[in-house]
């Protein structure tokens, strides 16, 4: 691409045009191309500088300390024979002091003429503290590393337009250090999950993202097409079935941290592309998964220095043990309906109508489906403290073992925090005869129009016919955990590049 084409983009505003013109003049007048410079070996970050020289007193300097660092110019203020700038990197921000006599007249003229806010520079200098107490780097040498053609957001100290923040996350990260901090904490939380699972001798694995069958959860999949094989394929909606195949294959304790894709709505709690952690332990059950879930979340909170967390004006003390309640108990407590006394499907539907849930009924719901409807409408939002919800009906738990004492229900839990689900776990169904029957029930629902019902996976049936040992399994929504531990209001605030509708 020629410079002329570069300088005539129809989307350029006046400032961008001026900066492109300046770049062209920099190349022609100074014979300086800031995009082909050699690397700059940064020896110290700005945060490390702040930590090491925080003890300097006003008007004190340390000329023996040679600081070689780099960053982005956030502001620059030129005052005759001196200039001040704010330099930022991924760790902190610090003031720079350029003095004509120190850098030389030629370099100082270069600074005045060619360096702008947004540019990346490398500097060599020593630390000092100004009369007003500002820790500063006294610059002896500098080098322009990259020219920013587009200026920083107008208010670089606080880009607030939500649409721009999500569409152009790079501007959001430049403008809002607190956003960068959230994503650093996200990384620490994920590392904590991995460390905790490693302590339990759990092997991290990778399983396919593309599959010929969308199964493992009740959700609408994304479809794609494989040209070479001439077949329709799906992006995975869950990690579960492949991971359980590995347990059958004697891999022992396994887990995966990976992306799932569900072709569903977008709101503050849902993004079509999201991160899940699923873990499976042979010789364990859902009670073991409860213990593990509590350990994972508490360790993750400690990894970012939090035991008390706040979200949407609600507060949780993670020093306290997690609570437990069954779905039947929750509906009785919060909706005032005792479903242990409901033995007829039509009776359950009539009770739903009495509680203004008639609009949600299709007319063929079982009493177990109605029980779940009551929980979702009257109970879910009440579970603010971390709470394990147990006793899910078999009908809504196609991959979970039955409760031998009450075969209509399962050994399953969902973990709720702040009224939202963050984890789902089972004593995994390992009876292939029962599993096939439940898959066939799901297929009947799919044929009746339920787009979220699961498909029958014959190879998975074959796998558990080869013998799946007693197994505890769990999935945790990483994005939601990060939301709650960091206090972020929306799932888009913890996903670097959330799904957005293209601009027209």
């Amino acid at each position: 691409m020629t410079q002329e084409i570069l300088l005539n983009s129809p989307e350029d505003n006046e400032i961008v045009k001026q900066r492109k013109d300046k770049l062209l003049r920099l190349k022609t007048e100074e014979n300086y191309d800031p995009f082909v410079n050699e690397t700059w070996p940064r020896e110290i970050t700005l945060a490390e500088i702040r930590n090491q020289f925080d003890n300097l007193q006003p008007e004190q300097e340390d000329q023996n300390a040679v600081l070689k660092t780099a960053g982005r110019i956030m502001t620059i203020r030129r005052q005759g024979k001196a200039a001040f700038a704010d330099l930022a990197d991924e760790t902190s921000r610090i003031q720079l002091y350029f003095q004509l006599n120190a850098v030389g007249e030629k370099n100082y003229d270069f600074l005045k003429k060619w360096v702008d806010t947004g540019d990346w520079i490398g500097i060599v200098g020593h630390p000092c503290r100004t009369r007003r107490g500002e820790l500063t780097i006294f610059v002896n040498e500098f080098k322009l590393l990259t020219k920013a053609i587009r200026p920083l957001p107008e208010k670089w100290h606080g880009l607030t337009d939500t649409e721009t923040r999500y569409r152009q996350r790079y501007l959001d990260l430049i403008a809002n250090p607190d956003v960068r901090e959230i994503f650093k904490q996200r990384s620490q939380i994920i590392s904590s999950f991995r460390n905790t699972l490693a302590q339990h001798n759990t092997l991290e694995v990778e399983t396919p993202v593309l599959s010929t069958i969308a199964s493992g959860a009740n959700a609408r999949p994304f479809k794609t097409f494989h040209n070479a094989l001439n077949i329709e394929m799906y992006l995975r909606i869950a990690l579960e079935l492949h991971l359980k195949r590995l347990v059958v294959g004697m891999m022992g304790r396994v887990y995966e941290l990976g992306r799932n894709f569900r072709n569903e709505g977008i709101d503050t709690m849902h993004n079509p592309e999201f991160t899940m952690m699923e873990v499976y332990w042979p010789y364990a059950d859902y009670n073991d998964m409860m213990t593990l879930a509590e350990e994972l979340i508490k360790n993750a909170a400690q990894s970012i220095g939090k035991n008390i967390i706040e979200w949407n004006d609600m507060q949780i003390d993670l020093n306290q043990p997690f609570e437990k309640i069954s779905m039947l108990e929750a509906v009785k407590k919060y909706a005032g309906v005792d479903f242990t006394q409901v033995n007829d499907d039509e009776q359950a539907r009539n009770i739903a109508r009495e509680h203004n849930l008639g609009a949600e009924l299709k007319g063929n719901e079982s009493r177990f489906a109605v029980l779940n409807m009551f929980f979702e409408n009257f109970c879910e939002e009440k579970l603010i403290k971390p709470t394990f919800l147990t006793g899910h009906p078999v009908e809504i738990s196609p991959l979970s073992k039955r409760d031998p004492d009450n075969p209509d229900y399962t050994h399953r839990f969902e973990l709720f925090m702040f009224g939202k689900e963050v984890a789902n776990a089972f004593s995994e169904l390992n009876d292939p005869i029962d599993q096939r029957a439940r898959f066939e029930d799901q297929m009947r629902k799919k044929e009746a129009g339920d787009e979220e019902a699961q498909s029958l996976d014959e190879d998975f049936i074959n796998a558990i016919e080869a013998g799946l040992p007693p197994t505890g399994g769990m999935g945790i929504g990483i994005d939601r955990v990060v939301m709650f531990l960091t206090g972020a209001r929306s799932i888009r605030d913890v996903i670097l590049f959330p799904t957005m509708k293209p601009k027209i």
Side-chain angles (χ1 to χ4, degrees), residues 75-123:
T75 65
I76 189 165
R77 307 172 297 284
R78 302 172 179 91
Q79 302 171 354
K81 296 182 179 181
F84 290 89
D86 286 317
L87 185 73
D89 67 4
E90 71 276 15
T91 67
S92 189
R93 199 174 84 207
I94 201 164
Q95 181 171 261
L96 302 180
Y97 176 47
F98 299 87
Q99 191 182 75
L100 184 148
N101 292 338
V103 299
E105 184 174 353
K106 182 179 179 181
N107 289 330
Y108 191 74
D109 287 343
F110 185 95
L111 174 76
K112 291 197 300 180
K113 189 172 183 179
W114 303 113
V115 176
D116 297 300
T117 57
D119 292 352
W120 294 84
I121 69 167
I123 66 113

Side-chain angles (χ1 to χ4, degrees), residues 129-148:
R129 195 175 290 277
T130 66
R131 184 183 307 167
R132 295 184 178 181
E134 179 76 19
L135 184 61
T136 300
I137 300 176
F138 187 99
V139 180
N140 301 116
E141 302 173 31
F142 71 90
K143 186 159 193 170
L144 177 61
L145 303 177
T146 298
K147 196 92 183 82

Side-chain angles (χ1 to χ4, degrees), residues 240-259:
E240 181 164 347
L241 300 190
H242 280 101
L243 290 175
K244 286 197 280 193
R245 286 174 169 90
L246 298 181
V247 177
V248 171
M250 302 177 67
M251 290 291 288
R253 293 181 171 187
V254 294
Y255 80 96
E256 183 170 5
L257 258 161
R259 291 283 187 164

Side-chain angles (χ1 to χ4, degrees), residues 54-55 110 193 234 262 496:
D54 187 57
N55 60 344
F110 185 95
F193 268 62
Y234 304 90
R262 297 184 183 178
L496 279 168

Side-chain angles (χ1 to χ4, degrees), residues 130-363:
T130 66
R131 184 183 307 167
R132 295 184 178 181
E134 179 76 19
L135 184 61
T136 300
I137 300 176
F138 187 99
V139 180
N140 301 116
E141 302 173 31
F142 71 90
K143 186 159 193 170
L144 177 61
L145 303 177
T146 298
K147 196 92 183 82
I149 294 174
R150 294 193 175 272
L152 297 176
E154 184 178 351
K155 295 183 178 179
W156 61 267
H157 50 78
L159 177 66
T160 57
D161 179 72
T162 302
E163 184 81 3
T164 302
R165 289 183 56 230
Y166 296 149
R167 287 190 183 279
Q168 297 177 288
R169 180 68 84 182
Y170 45 91
L171 295 181
D172 188 27
L173 295 169
I174 293 170
N176 297 311
D178 56 326
V179 173
R180 296 202 299 270
E181 183 59 28
I182 285 176
F183 288 104
K184 290 176 183 177
Q185 290 181 349
R186 178 187 174 104
S187 180
Q188 290 173 282
I189 289 166
I190 290 173
S191 294
S192 172
F193 268 62
R194 286 192 163 104
N195 291 338
T196 299
L197 290 166
Q199 290 168 11
H200 289 287
N201 299 313
T202 310
L203 183 69
E204 184 172 8
V205 298
E206 294 178 311
T207 62
V209 172
L210 286 174
S211 178
T212 56
I213 296 175
S215 199
N218 287 43
R220 181 184 300 175
F222 283 96
K223 297 180 182 179
T224 187
F225 192 82
H226 194 295
N227 292 332
L229 296 179
N230 195 32
I231 58 172
E232 189 174 70
M233 300 190 78
Y234 304 90
L235 296 180
R236 67 183 176 199
I237 57 176
L239 310 169
E240 181 164 347
L241 300 190
H242 280 101
L243 290 175
K244 286 197 280 193
R245 286 174 169 90
L246 298 181
V247 177
V248 171
M250 302 177 67
M251 290 291 288
R253 293 181 171 187
V254 294
Y255 80 96
E256 183 170 5
L257 258 161
R259 291 283 187 164
N260 286 346
F261 307 85
R262 297 184 183 178
N263 197 353
E264 299 170 348
I266 297 175
D267 57 30
T268 58
M269 300 300 297
H270 298 88
N271 191 69
E273 179 181 2
F274 60 98
T275 302
M276 284 288 292
M277 189 284 298
E278 290 198 28
V279 56
Y280 293 86
W281 284 1
Y283 324 116
D285 65 7
Y286 79 130
N287 290 303
D288 298 301
M289 293 298 106
M290 282 190 204
T291 302
L292 178 61
E294 188 165 348
E295 181 182 359
L296 283 165
I297 290 174
K298 288 184 173 181
N299 287 352
Q302 290 174 7
S303 75
I304 60 171
K306 293 186 178 180
N307 288 312
I308 308 295
I309 58 175
E310 295 184 2
W311 186 79
N312 276 11
D313 301 321
M314 296 175 281
Q315 188 178 90
I316 288 174
D317 182 357
L318 289 176
N319 292 306
Q320 302 301 314
F322 289 8
E323 299 183 355
K324 184 163 70 172
I325 191 171
S326 73
M327 185 177 288
L328 288 168
E329 292 168 339
V331 170
K332 184 176 181 180
K333 178 177 180 179
Y334 295 114
V337 179
D338 185 357
F339 268 81
T340 62
Q341 304 303 311
V342 178
N343 299 307
D344 177 79
D345 295 343
E346 185 58 36
Q347 179 190 3
R349 293 193 290 268
N350 287 334
I351 294 172
R353 295 183 185 100
E354 293 170 4
H355 285 76
N356 300 316
L357 298 179
E360 298 186 27
L361 295 172
K362 296 179 180 177

